[in-house]
Amino acid sequence: MYPNRKTAVAAVALWAAAVGFLAGCESGPSESNGTPTGRATATGPSAGGCPDALRKAKAAVQAAESTDTAWTGPRSGPRAVPGKTLVYVAQTMTNPGVAGVAKGVREAAAAIGWNVRVIDGEGTPAGIQAAFSQAVTLKPSGIVIGGFDPRLTSQQVARAEEAGIPLIGWHAVSSPGPSTSPRLFTNVTTKVEDVARISADWVIARSDGGAGVVVFTDDSIPFARNKSELIKQQLATCPAVKLLAYANIPIPDASQRTPQEVSSLVSRFPKKWTHSIAINDLYFADAAPALRAAGKPGAGPPLNIGAGDGDPSAFQRINSGQYQAATVPEPLTQQGWQIVDEFNRAFAGNPPSGYVAPVHVVTADNSGGGTSWDPEGYREAYEQIWRG
């Protein structure tokens, strides 16, 4: 999950152990020259210091940046089960990812002929628990856990199970697919390992293996900490890449703390800081004023990639070349449609589809000026399934 500025709790499954990063690496990053599309070329002695990793990274990024992708999701399944009602319990509707999926659920529910109610947990544990309690009391056909850790609402989850209400998560646990603890019919998300890997590969590829990197994360959220550790592990496949700083800023405090942290980083690494990776795009919204005040160009360096959600403001920064060069977006609307289809499978007594959306990287070169990643073909495919 990628929560926004209010208190949030993310999915489970801590990574077993963080690897030591860049032990014994003494070669520093070179300066990079950026463009609005996020391309940088390393010119110092560290350039090309990891030929195998660099080759693999460039191939992976090229594939992930492709927009010529056919629908690879399900094309068969049960006909629409009529007369169902869903409740979408949102971690907070100020989180663009959570809100984007809610939009997709509403859109798909209208297409299949169901009713949907969204209840906003407003980003606090108490608010999320109250929203979930209200959802159970409404006795819907199904409940969506929209972007929060079900352990936070264990009592409400137990009540839903006792009432026979199926639960489907979005970024509720760390992995896609069914979950037994907590019991979820399925969890809809991209694979965090893939998102972390491609964001690090993008930095390796765009710097020609010579980046000086800052990672922005929130260690209070297990999902985010896991993602940032995976990012560091992938960066470490290129010994010439150097981790300059690991900025642990709780998301609820991001608007206050990020500008101060960025100003400090600029002072500490005026030339060495060439790239950034953040577990959520929102860090770059808060970093932009400080980078601008420090005289840094909008097109970088540093070149910034968000490893989370791909909200509209991130697309706007990317398209305008203003302090963000790339993002790894979730196909939020498509995932909302998938949630509805998964519920239909549950109501019909079928297993979940098993579909997991592939990772995608957006830059100014391939965004088409859009403000979201909305792949083609899924609406028609799902509607055909539901018509039978």
Side-chain angles (χ1 to χ4, degrees):
M1 155 194 138
Y2 314 105
N4 210 313
R5 306 185 189 284
K6 298 185 180 181
T7 303
V9 184
V12 294
L14 294 175
W15 197 250
V19 296
F21 186 74
L22 296 178
C25 177
E26 296 181 358
S27 59
S30 60
E31 291 187 57
S32 301
N33 295 316
T35 71
T37 61
R39 301 187 181 278
T41 301
T43 58
S46 62
C50 53
D52 290 341
L54 181 58
R55 183 178 63 254
K56 292 176 181 178
K58 286 187 174 182
V61 169
Q62 183 178 8
E65 288 182 346
S66 174
T67 59
D68 186 17
T69 55
W71 171 244
T72 58
R75 292 190 176 276
S76 63
R79 290 173 57 92
V81 178
K84 299 299 181 180
T85 298
L86 304 179
V87 174
Y88 184 97
V89 180
Q91 174 256 339
T92 171
M93 289 296 282
T94 63
N95 180 331
V98 172
V101 174
K103 174 180 177 292
V105 169
R106 283 170 164 153
E107 185 182 288
I112 202 172
W114 297 350
N115 294 317
V116 176
R117 179 169 178 178
V118 176
I119 303 178
D120 192 347
E122 298 182 345
T124 67
I128 293 168
Q129 291 165 3
F132 207 140
S133 293
Q134 184 180 355
V136 176
T137 300
L138 291 172
K139 299 180 180 179
S141 308
I143 295 174
V144 184
I145 297 176
F148 59 89
D149 186 342
R151 293 179 301 180
L152 180 68
T153 56
S154 56
Q155 294 181 354
Q156 290 80 7
V157 167
R159 286 175 52 201
E161 290 182 6
E162 291 172 1
I165 303 171
L167 304 175
I168 289 179
W170 179 77
H171 288 199
V173 294
S174 60
S175 301
S179 170
T180 56
S181 180
R183 187 173 298 279
L184 303 177
F185 179 75
T186 195
N187 180 56
V188 176
T189 181
T190 51
K191 293 181 179 180
V192 65
E193 298 88 351
D194 293 344
V195 173
R197 184 181 303 112
I198 199 65
S199 62
D201 279 345
W202 185 89
V203 167
I204 294 170
R206 291 298 179 257
S207 69
D208 280 340
V213 188
V214 173
V215 174
F216 293 91
T217 190
D218 181 351
D219 276 351
S220 70
I221 301 172
F223 191 96
R225 182 166 62 239
N226 179 28
K227 185 192 294 186
S228 56
E229 291 297 336
L230 292 169
I231 288 169
K232 291 197 293 181
Q233 290 181 36
Q234 187 64 16
L235 289 173
T237 64
C238 182
V241 169
K242 185 172 182 180
L243 180 66
L244 301 177
Y246 184 82
N248 175 26
I249 302 174
I251 284 176
D253 302 333
S255 60
Q256 289 76 35
R257 289 183 52 184
T258 302
Q260 181 178 358
E261 179 69 18
V262 167
S263 296
S264 174
L265 289 166
V266 171
S267 297
R268 291 166 58 196
F269 310 110
K271 299 296 184 181
K272 292 182 178 181
W273 182 13
T274 65
H275 294 76
S276 312
I277 305 175
I279 55 92
N280 191 298
D281 294 301
L282 68 86
Y283 286 101
F284 299 131
D286 298 320
L291 290 170
R292 187 178 294 110
K296 294 293 184 179
L303 299 176
N304 302 319
I305 181 170
D309 285 7
D311 65 77
S313 68
F315 276 75
Q316 291 165 4
R317 288 190 295 275
I318 291 166
N319 291 335
S320 61
Q322 292 297 303
Y323 303 102
Q324 186 164 353
T327 187
V328 185
E330 297 274 333
L332 300 173
T333 303
Q334 179 266 305
Q335 289 175 330
W337 278 69
Q338 181 181 349
I339 287 170
V340 170
D341 181 68
E342 301 291 3
F343 270 120
N344 192 57
R345 293 169 191 270
F347 300 149
N350 287 20
S353 72
Y355 177 66
V356 180
V359 292
H360 179 62
V361 174
V362 167
T363 68
D365 281 343
N366 67 1
S367 71
T371 57
S372 66
W373 168 232
D374 195 26
E376 297 180 355
Y378 66 87
R379 291 179 176 87
E380 297 80 3
Y382 282 129
E383 288 179 333
Q384 185 173 356
I385 291 171
W386 301 336
R387 286 194 300 267

